[in-house]
Amino acid sequence: MTTWPSSPSAARAGALRPAAVLCLTLLLGACASRGPDHPPLPSTPPAAAGLTAPDTTPVAADWWRALGDPQLDRLVELALKDQPSLATARARVARAQALADGTRANGQAQGALDFNITRQRFTENGLYPPPFAGTIWNSGFLQIGANWSPDFFGQHAAELAAALGRERAAQAEAAGVANALAAQVARAYIALARLLAQREVLARVLGQRDEILALTRARQGAGLDTRVELTQAEGALPDARLQIEALDEQIALARHLAAVLAGQAPGALDALSPRLQALHLAPTPVMLGTDLLGRRPDLVAARWRVEATTQDVAEAGARFYPNINLSAFIGLSTLGLAPMLERGSRQGGFSPALHLPLFDGGRLRAQLGGRQAELDEAIAQYNGLLLDAVREASDAISSTQSLVRQQDEVARSLASAETAYSLAMQRYKAGLSSYLTVLNAENQLLVQRRQAVDIQGRQLDTRVALMKALGGGWHEDTRTANAQSSALATP
């Protein structure tokens, strides 16, 4: 077998490899100390937060359409288009995207072209000898330079991952703002419908009291009632008008709120008159699954904040290792513009640089500790937000179920109050009972009618709150959500 001799250059390269490894080992060993390890806080497991079902009952992206009111649909669409708070959230997303683009450039090679012409008088007592000293000369400078910082220890990669995490968090937060805004518009709309329904009840009561006053005057003229009954009938009218005036004030304020939420002037919706009867209750979702982690924009945003802060810790840790920078330039430089393009005006160079932290008074270690504390804070905020999200959805489900039972009881009470009032009026007209009996029956009827309106309004309002608690139809990839949420315990 023939053995070919190695070339001198190959032999030198083989001899240099152990030396390079030794130098790298010495450099790494000379780095500033990172201090003791700091394990991050554990995240709350979904099961511990009460998420045991496989899938959450889905919610439509345009869930408000299930209420069946085209006027509400137009109002929500107007809000999602023109509301300043949503525009603010979109601007934050654009800013996060711009920051991510800027961070992405950190690991790329940078190049620049510099050109400069200077007309200068040189001092007679400086570095330049005659004929330059004491005279005015033009000088020119034309140079192309390049710079690159190789990412051997992952610092640039961690910076980019952190910036992308914040970008995704901003996107999820913008979706959360849109979800919350749609819910606010729907709830303001329902509140206005409830106030208008209550006003209708009071208007009917005011009409009844007008009729009773006329009847009482007739009975008093016939000697069947006294001045006491007439005074009671007259005093009942201002009370009803006072309640109507108070409701009119609340209605005006509710219309102002609905207009501002829709991005309009406060008086733009003064003619808005929704009706509770035009709104329908959608089916009640009752399942809270682990995929709620990917359906709630605020939870997803918090998770991406944890991811971004985790990368900040990695970036702070990479600062303990050597930082290598490679620079090169080539160009032309002359004193006097005439020889600018001559061969002798050329200049160029290559400048590798190494920065190695040896001791810095604990500055890098303090920075790393601060990043680790920020990571613990982000995880703690995520844990708290997860528990609040599950509680919010559970509360809405429980309230929805309870309001169904309350509505049944109110319906029975209202039927009894209607019957009692009808009997009291018949007995009063027949002269078998006093007007006080009629007033008592009427007051009870008023209470039950307004209670029925309140229950119906609360049912609709709670249903909207449930839609918001379930993420409002927003959805992130469940596999990604589950994988990242399980990784929170060991970021």
Side-chain angles (χ1 to χ4, degrees):
M1 182 177 63
T2 303
T3 303
W4 297 98
S6 59
S7 65
S9 59
R12 285 194 300 270
L16 287 176
R17 289 192 189 99
V21 172
L22 178 60
C23 290
L24 181 59
T25 303
L26 292 176
L27 286 175
L28 295 179
C31 292
S33 173
R34 291 168 54 103
D37 290 338
H38 176 82
L41 288 177
S43 67
T44 301
L51 300 176
T52 56
D55 294 312
T56 302
T57 303
V59 176
D62 53 350
W63 51 266
W64 55 87
R65 296 186 184 277
L67 296 173
D69 191 333
Q71 190 172 225
L72 173 61
D73 298 342
R74 290 191 295 271
L75 201 61
V76 173
E77 291 171 359
L78 190 63
L80 296 179
K81 176 183 177 183
D82 296 332
Q83 228 291 328
S85 62
L86 192 55
T88 301
R90 289 168 179 158
R92 288 174 182 160
V93 172
R95 178 176 179 273
Q97 290 173 340
L99 291 176
D101 291 339
T103 305
R104 185 178 287 108
N106 289 344
Q108 306 296 323
Q110 309 291 319
L113 172 66
D114 296 313
F115 176 67
N116 182 29
I117 295 178
T118 304
R119 184 171 178 81
Q120 177 183 352
R121 182 186 185 280
F122 293 93
T123 176
E124 297 179 12
N125 302 313
L127 295 176
Y128 292 92
F132 305 107
T135 59
I136 298 176
W137 285 80
N138 296 324
S139 61
F141 177 82
L142 176 63
Q143 178 173 292
I144 297 177
N147 181 73
W148 179 44
S149 179
D151 192 21
F152 290 117
F153 300 100
Q155 179 178 347
H156 297 325
E159 290 174 346
L160 177 58
L164 292 175
R166 292 188 178 90
E167 177 188 347
R168 290 166 181 149
Q171 292 172 346
E173 286 170 350
V177 170
N179 179 30
L181 179 59
Q184 285 178 315
V185 172
R187 298 181 79 169
Y189 189 86
I190 292 168
L192 178 58
R194 178 178 59 82
L195 292 171
L196 290 172
Q198 288 180 343
R199 195 188 188 288
E200 289 181 3
V201 172
L202 285 177
R204 288 199 300 269
V205 170
L206 182 61
Q208 290 172 352
R209 291 185 180 181
D210 275 328
E211 294 175 2
I212 292 174
L213 177 58
L215 179 59
T216 303
R217 283 173 177 164
R219 288 172 60 87
Q220 197 257 351
L224 299 176
D225 280 338
T226 66
R227 182 67 184 174
V228 174
E229 285 78 12
L230 180 60
T231 302
Q232 289 176 334
E234 291 174 343
L237 288 174
D239 177 66
R241 286 195 291 263
L242 175 63
Q243 295 184 56
I244 289 176
E245 183 59 36
L247 274 178
D248 285 341
E249 177 190 6
Q250 296 180 47
I251 288 170
L253 298 181
R255 283 172 172 157
H256 293 168
L257 176 60
V260 171
L261 288 174
Q264 307 298 307
L269 299 179
D270 285 347
L272 182 63
S273 299
R275 298 181 59 83
L276 281 179
Q277 294 79 4
L279 297 167
H280 307 291
L281 289 171
T284 306
V286 294
M287 301 294 292
L288 292 180
T290 55
D291 65 336
L292 183 67
L293 301 176
R295 294 180 183 271
R296 290 265 310 206
D298 52 349
L299 281 177
V300 173
R303 190 175 63 248
W304 280 116
R305 294 291 180 194
V306 171
E307 171 63 20
T309 312
T310 302
Q311 297 300 327
D312 285 338
V313 173
E315 186 270 336
R319 291 181 180 272
F320 287 85
Y321 299 106
N323 181 28
I324 299 175
N325 187 66
L326 304 177
S327 300
F329 68 92
I330 185 172
L332 302 170
S333 179
T334 62
L335 185 59
L337 299 182
M340 172 66 75
L341 301 180
E342 294 181 1
R343 185 179 181 86
S345 299
R346 293 176 303 163
Q347 65 175 8
F350 175 67
S351 176
L354 171 68
H355 172 75
L356 175 65
L358 298 178
F359 51 88
D360 58 358
R363 180 178 58 86
L364 291 179
R365 192 157 51 245
Q367 291 178 352
L368 178 60
R371 296 297 190 185
Q372 290 169 338
E374 290 174 1
L375 175 59
D376 288 344
E377 180 184 4
I379 294 176
Q381 289 176 347
Y382 174 84
N383 290 341
L385 187 60
L386 173 59
L387 294 175
D388 285 341
V390 177
R391 176 198 55 78
E392 183 182 346
S394 301
D395 287 352
I397 291 175
S398 298
S399 295
T400 299
Q401 296 170 345
S402 175
L403 286 170
V404 172
R405 297 188 291 269
Q406 293 180 45
Q407 186 185 38
D408 293 339
E409 299 297 333
V410 168
R412 283 191 285 268
S413 297
L414 179 60
S416 298
E418 294 275 6
T419 302
Y421 176 75
S422 178
L423 292 174
M425 181 60 74
Q426 292 174 15
R427 288 176 60 82
Y428 177 70
K429 290 180 178 179
L432 300 177
S433 63
S434 67
Y435 180 67
L436 182 60
T437 303
V438 175
L439 283 180
N440 289 334
E442 184 189 31
N443 287 336
Q444 184 61 29
L445 176 61
L446 171 62
V447 170
Q448 294 303 323
R449 283 179 177 174
R450 296 188 68 174
Q451 207 169 47
V453 169
D454 285 339
I455 290 295
Q456 186 179 4
R458 284 189 61 200
Q459 281 186 303
L460 291 164
D461 182 79
T462 304
R463 198 63 52 89
V464 171
L466 179 57
M467 297 299 102
K468 175 182 177 294
L470 295 179
W474 190 80
H475 181 64
E476 188 190 45
D477 190 323
T478 305
R479 292 172 298 176
T480 303
N482 292 337
Q484 290 173 344
S485 62
S486 63
L488 283 179
T490 55

